[in-house]
Amino acid sequence: MDAKTGTDGKTGTLKIGNKNYELPQYEGTVGPDVVDISRLYDEAGLFTYDPGFTSTASCESKITFIDGDEGILLYRGYPIEQLAEHGDFLETCYLLLYGELPTVAEKLDFDRTVTRHTMIHEQMARFYQGFRRDAHPMAVMVGCVGALSSFYHDSADIGDPRQRMIASFRLIAKMPTIAAMAYKYTIGQPFMYPKNDLAYASNFLRMCFGVPCEDYEVNPVLARAMDRIFILHADHEQNASTSTVRLAGSSAANPFACIAAGIACLWGPAHGGANEAALKMLVEIGKPERIPEYVRRAKDKNDPFRLMGFGHRVYRNYDPRAKIMQTTCHKVLAETGAKDDLFEVALELERIALHDEYFIEKQLYPNIDFYSGITLKAMGFPTTMFTVLFALARTVGWIAQWKEMIEDPSQKIGRPRQLYTGATYRDYIPIDRRM
Ligand code: ACO
């Protein structure tokens, strides 16, 4: 079987056996073209097979672009470095949702609208009491975000563009409140209501670390770091959790249920849980003198150990988010005065790995998780909250991708096929005649 591009660049010829199939080929604005195989079953009686979807474009999208070879990440065309340097998270939310950066008036209006939705229904606060005190906050998030659908029936009308937008505002606005409450519940402190004169990240920090008996003073360095971490995690094209949200939404499920599905997927250690693993590894290494031992282990085929926070399915270059995260980490450590032994270990480990033949040859570079764990720990978050923060920030990406899918006229319910290798047809055997 071989595939080749048609001469005009618009069709591809797929040769299977001695038959040729002309398949439409589509050009993106940037990045590889795709071959449309949707008619292949009708024409050739064949399915394609691509475990992990490593070569499959599941949709057309205008939101986020990654060039993994060059280490480039663009939201609506804007490089992540510029957005993180000059913008704020709500501006990024606006950009992801609407496709353009807001004007001053649009930004004011958007901020005000999101702010007006920060409270959750008072009855929802009682849900928390039903969880065990030691429940993982991601378990609480999956439950509570899904439960939003029982309060906002209007937002379940996904055929109405206005309701889709209201659902988007609600989700972006309520996630910090729900996440902070999940944290407060696990440490036995009273919930803090949102304070709407604070900016998005500051409000979240206050809901997490403030208490009703004292005024909470926002630290601008930490608030900026939090905001930046949200920007860095806001979207990452068709990753596992985003694809989960799209798949759930393709059946016309309500947006809260779809985002709860995304949170469930993100929870896994191979996805959102990697920063916790990277932090654990740095703690275990403990001091720079021990790094060579761990690098040796990472290279040993017979040792399952991997350098956590290194390597990425898409980036075969330095993850652009990791660079910004490294700078943010440095600023947070300088501000908090947190002992920065782990940062020293991380910098030295990065230096050694980037000069090591094994990592160079396999194109393994630090990913965003390498520095985010140290940063969040220094800011005061327990490791169980790391993935919750990721979910909070990624909600805008999920919802933008969900909206794009609903608004795409070619959208169909997601229904992959399979290569079946189980038993063939056989007759039922009554239980008394089974061997
Ligand atoms: N340390 C040591 N060796 C590694 C590492 C690593 N971190 N990552 C990959 N390799 C090696 C593999 O052993 C493999 O070697 P081989 O070709 O000799 O068999 C080769 O590099 C390719 O690795 P794959 O696992 O095939 O690459 P894949 O793209 O499937 O995996 C992944 C990417 C899962 C991220 C992997 O690099 C990894 O496990 N990294 C550590 C975990 C981590 O940091 N995950 C966070 C990802 S970022 C995010 O989710 C936000």
Side-chain angles (χ1 to χ4, degrees):
M1 187 168 23
D2 76 291
K4 70 177 194 300
T5 309
T7 46
D8 63 358
K10 297 292 178 204
T11 63
T13 307
L14 181 67
K15 188 173 180 207
I16 304 170
N18 55 5
K19 271 195 90 175
N20 286 337
Y21 299 92
E22 280 301 311
L23 301 174
Q25 187 169 326
Y26 308 134
E27 262 175 52
T29 43
V30 56
D33 291 358
V34 299
V35 174
D36 180 348
I37 49 106
S38 58
R39 292 199 332 260
L40 195 63
Y41 178 62
D42 286 344
E43 292 182 12
L46 287 169
F47 296 142
T48 54
Y49 182 62
D50 182 18
F53 310 117
T54 54
S55 296
T56 299
S58 62
C59 61
E60 181 188 336
S61 183
K62 293 182 169 52
I63 302 175
T64 295
F65 174 75
I66 302 171
D67 184 332
D69 294 330
E70 297 297 323
I72 290 170
L73 169 61
L74 309 176
Y75 293 164
R76 300 283 190 181
Y78 294 102
I80 189 69
E81 293 86 351
Q82 293 181 24
L83 293 168
E85 178 68 26
H86 306 295
D88 68 28
F89 179 63
L90 283 185
E91 185 183 52
T92 295
C93 291
Y94 186 101
L95 175 68
L96 289 170
L97 285 173
Y98 293 100
E100 295 299 335
L101 286 168
T103 61
V104 173
E106 286 165 342
K107 175 74 166 54
L108 270 173
D109 189 48
F110 184 74
D111 287 6
R112 196 166 35 235
T113 308
V114 170
T115 301
R116 288 277 155 75
H117 285 285
T118 50
M119 283 204 299
I120 58 169
H121 196 290
E122 198 59 23
Q123 239 178 304
M124 268 198 71
R126 280 179 235 144
F127 282 9
Y128 286 76
Q129 318 306 324
F131 286 95
R132 271 175 59 139
R133 182 65 71 194
D134 60 355
H136 195 289
M138 281 298 272
V140 179
M141 296 298 288
V142 174
C144 288
V145 173
L148 287 174
S149 49
S150 62
F151 290 93
Y152 303 107
H153 297 285
D154 48 352
S155 284
D157 181 7
I158 64 157
D160 178 348
R162 188 167 164 274
Q163 287 304 336
R164 289 200 293 272
M165 217 57 220
I166 294 174
S168 311
F169 296 141
R170 282 178 171 149
L171 277 156
I172 294 166
K174 291 181 202 305
M175 282 299 273
T177 315
I178 294 172
M181 286 168 74
Y183 172 56
K184 287 296 198 191
Y185 182 69
T186 60
I187 57 169
Q189 287 188 0
F191 297 145
M192 295 288 283
Y193 283 103
K195 197 164 183 298
N196 287 349
D197 58 350
L198 291 177
Y200 192 86
S202 303
N203 183 34
F204 176 63
L205 290 176
R206 182 183 164 275
M207 286 192 289
C208 286
F209 301 120
V211 284
C213 47
E214 280 175 22
D215 287 338
Y216 179 78
E217 207 175 307
V218 176
N219 178 320
V221 176
L222 300 190
R224 182 74 184 113
M226 189 81 266
D227 196 71
R228 207 164 256 186
I229 290 169
F230 291 160
I231 295 173
L232 297 183
H233 288 88
D235 196 40
H236 214 227
E237 51 120 304
Q238 310 310 322
N239 56 80
S241 56
T242 302
S243 299
T244 301
V245 170
R246 279 187 178 256
L247 194 57
S250 74
S251 73
N254 74 72
F256 306 109
C258 296
I259 302 301
I263 297 172
C265 178
L266 186 75
W267 194 352
H271 193 1
N275 53 11
E276 192 176 336
L279 180 68
K280 269 192 194 139
M281 178 194 72
L282 292 171
V283 171
E284 196 184 307
I285 298 176
K287 41 188 180 202
E289 302 86 271
R290 297 189 61 196
I291 293 173
E293 176 196 334
Y294 282 82
V295 171
R296 204 168 36 248
R297 283 187 59 198
K299 297 193 294 189
D300 182 353
K301 278 241 159 284
N302 300 316
D303 190 328
F305 174 77
R306 282 186 167 197
L307 275 194
M308 298 312 287
F310 260 78
H312 195 277
R313 169 60 64 80
V314 181
Y315 292 116
R316 300 297 175 196
N317 202 326
Y318 210 104
D319 176 346
R321 303 167 303 170
K323 282 191 190 134
I324 308 165
M325 204 60 188
Q326 189 204 66
T327 316
T328 305
C329 183
H330 194 62
K331 285 183 181 157
V332 167
L333 292 173
E335 180 64 19
T336 57
K339 254 177 113 254
D340 57 3
D341 294 356
L342 292 183
F343 190 58
E344 292 306 318
V345 173
L347 284 175
E348 183 58 8
L349 178 56
E350 178 187 330
R351 195 190 61 76
I352 291 177
L354 291 181
H355 288 90
D356 189 292
E357 217 26 69
Y358 173 93
F359 292 88
I360 296 170
E361 193 211 313
K362 294 189 188 303
Q363 298 173 304
L364 299 169
Y365 294 85
N367 59 52
I368 187 170
D369 294 322
F370 193 60
Y371 287 104
S372 64
I374 315 175
T375 316
L376 295 173
K377 180 173 179 276
M379 290 174 78
F381 289 105
T383 48
T384 51
M385 279 297 285
F386 291 1
T387 324
V388 173
L389 299 174
F390 193 159
L392 187 172
R394 183 56 58 84
T395 294
V396 64
W398 288 331
I399 201 87
Q401 301 267 355
W402 168 82
K403 260 173 62 10
E404 183 178 64
M405 181 196 65
I406 301 285
E407 288 158 17
D408 178 353
S410 67
Q411 189 264 328
K412 286 186 175 148
I413 186 167
R415 177 54 170 93
R417 307 305 290 251
Q418 64 173 5
L419 171 66
Y420 178 70
T421 54
T424 54
Y425 181 95
R426 48 186 173 167
D427 285 321
Y428 178 82
I429 305 166
I431 194 162
D432 57 345
R433 279 201 259 138
R434 284 176 218 158
M435 304 295 282

